[in-house]
Amino acid sequence: MKRLLLLATLCLSLAGSLKRVTLVRHRSLRKVLRDRGQLSQFWKAHKLNMVQYTEDCSAFTEANEPLINYLDTEYFGQISIGTPPQNFTVIFDTGSSNLWVPSVYCVSKACTKHSKFQPSQSSTYQAIGTPFSIQYGTGSLVGVIGSDQVVVEGLVVRNQQFAESVSEPGKTFLDAAYDGILGLAYPSLSVDGITPVFDNMMAQNLVELPIFSVYMSSNPDSSVGGELLFGGFDPSHFTGTLNWVPVTRQGFWQIQLDNIKLAGAVALCANSCQAIVDTGTSLITGPTKDVKELQNLIGATLADTEYAVECSNLNVMPNVTFTINGLPYTLSAQAYTLMEDIDGMTFCTSGFQEMDIGPPAGPLWILGDVFIRQFYSVFDRGNNRVGLAPAVP
């Protein structure tokens, strides 16, 4: 395995089509709403229910609801659509499979605050006209399908179908600091059977290897939030060796959790359970019963709509370990809590959240940004597996 990793690293260093997208971290929507005194109301209204590579470096060729949490730290980058290019800021979301941006014809207040796509200004645009709709709990998104070239950090994806939103009711997207979402999950999750952007990248031979990787910075003072790498992974962002975990179901990037331990002892998921690695979810979520028990075990108490912890107790709070494919992935209290300074006072909240996902998709745990910040994540479509390793701070 170590020899294969070194060979893959060498191949990736030579690959001319390796593309990096810088992810920017912005002020969290949760903090914006809290400062306005709107967090409790918003939460109640919008709570979501939600390969072995060869040694010659050969490349491989090969309506569910997205699970997205808008209430905490957000990571996103820039893409362009059309000719000449129209720029948009998007969340790169491994928990969904569609690309959408606001349309110039959107009538919702949310669209007035974001960049809007103008099809008449693009010489490469083709109207498809198929109706498009995604339901986000009590919120929703409605639009139509169009086709155009999409550029992601120099990679020109031709004839990419995407949704142009014409209605974004409610407040779900009103205060979002991004324009749209670019889904990176499997095609089976795609609404209307649209081919996802990364699948088109692979089909059009734009990436050397059928993988992409995500690094999320844990430095709150950094203006650069992280990096999304198409076609490879960057060993400078992690320590040790990537540990590969098989995908158990090809929709979300779904894997098996062996168990969840607190302070070294099995506390939850004793007989294994299913989880997804999701860049579009800010926290770590799980079934209500389990997460309530977990909050109790770490000493978190419900305050309004969030679970608060005493910042002074972080050094004595237990580690939480997710055992995955026989290996431990341990989060310290400092890693699984969120700390914010408001009006000169420091507040700490739990990075765990209740979210019940019913059958047939669930029940599921979601390993969101709280987890990914600590563990560099590689998404391998060639072998249907996820690679994890401790991230470099």
Side-chain angles (χ1 to χ4, degrees), residues 20-236:
R20 303 169 188 268
V21 178
T22 299
L23 302 181
V24 179
R25 184 193 306 193
H26 279 239
R27 188 166 180 249
S28 70
L29 178 55
R30 182 180 66 173
K31 188 170 183 178
V32 171
L33 294 173
R34 177 185 283 159
D35 290 351
R36 295 179 181 177
Q38 298 173 333
L39 179 61
S40 178
Q41 179 183 0
F42 182 88
W43 180 255
K44 291 174 183 176
H46 294 279
K47 186 174 181 182
L48 300 182
N49 298 317
M50 301 277 336
V51 231
Q52 297 301 320
Y53 296 117
T54 61
E55 297 190 9
D56 62 358
C57 304
S58 298
F60 283 75
T61 55
E62 270 224 65
N64 294 336
E65 182 176 324
L67 304 177
I68 301 169
N69 183 318
Y70 296 101
L71 299 181
D72 208 83
T73 305
E74 300 156 352
Y75 295 82
F76 38 82
Q78 191 175 83
I79 67 169
S80 69
I81 303 176
T83 307
Q86 300 177 41
N87 295 329
F88 299 92
T89 298
V90 297
I91 285 184
F92 293 94
D93 177 28
T94 59
S96 66
S97 298
N98 290 89
L99 167 62
W100 67 264
V101 296
S103 166
V104 69
Y105 302 113
C106 182
V107 297
S108 301
K109 186 177 180 180
C111 295
T112 65
K113 296 187 174 184
H114 297 99
S115 298
K116 296 178 286 293
F117 181 71
Q118 301 186 53
S120 64
Q121 301 301 309
S122 173
S123 62
T124 48
Y125 175 79
Q126 292 182 314
I128 304 299
T130 305
F132 178 87
S133 176
I134 292 182
Q135 184 71 36
Y136 292 88
T138 56
S140 62
L141 172 74
V142 176
V144 295
I145 301 301
S147 176
D148 211 328
Q149 70 174 25
V150 174
V151 180
V152 184
E153 199 62 27
L155 297 177
V156 181
V157 184
R158 302 180 308 278
N159 303 316
Q160 176 64 53
Q161 291 191 16
F162 64 101
E164 307 162 54
S165 72
V166 296
S167 177
E168 298 176 16
K171 298 180 179 179
T172 304
F173 302 108
L174 185 62
D175 291 307
Y178 52 88
D179 303 313
I181 293 173
L182 190 156
L184 292 168
Y186 282 81
S188 62
L189 282 191
S190 181
V191 175
D192 292 338
I194 295 170
T195 302
V197 172
F198 189 66
D199 285 74
N200 274 330
M201 286 184 180
M202 292 188 292
Q204 296 174 23
N205 297 315
L206 300 179
V207 289
E208 191 74 15
L209 298 173
I211 64 178
F212 61 91
S213 53
V214 177
Y215 166 72
M216 292 183 171
S217 171
S218 58
N219 182 357
D221 299 321
S222 174
S223 60
V224 177
E227 181 180 84
L228 169 63
L229 188 61
F230 288 107
F233 55 85
D234 187 345
S236 70

Side-chain angles (χ1 to χ4, degrees), residues 25 75 214-219 237-239 284 320 329-337 368-377 388-393:
R25 184 193 306 193
Y75 295 82
V214 177
Y215 166 72
M216 292 183 171
S217 171
S218 58
N219 182 357
H237 285 318
F238 62 88
T239 62
I284 295 175
V320 176
Y329 295 84
T330 299
L331 301 177
S332 66
Q334 288 80 0
Y336 66 70
T337 57
D369 297 350
V370 166
F371 181 88
I372 297 170
R373 272 196 290 275
Q374 304 303 314
F375 298 102
Y376 187 78
S377 301
L388 299 170
V392 173

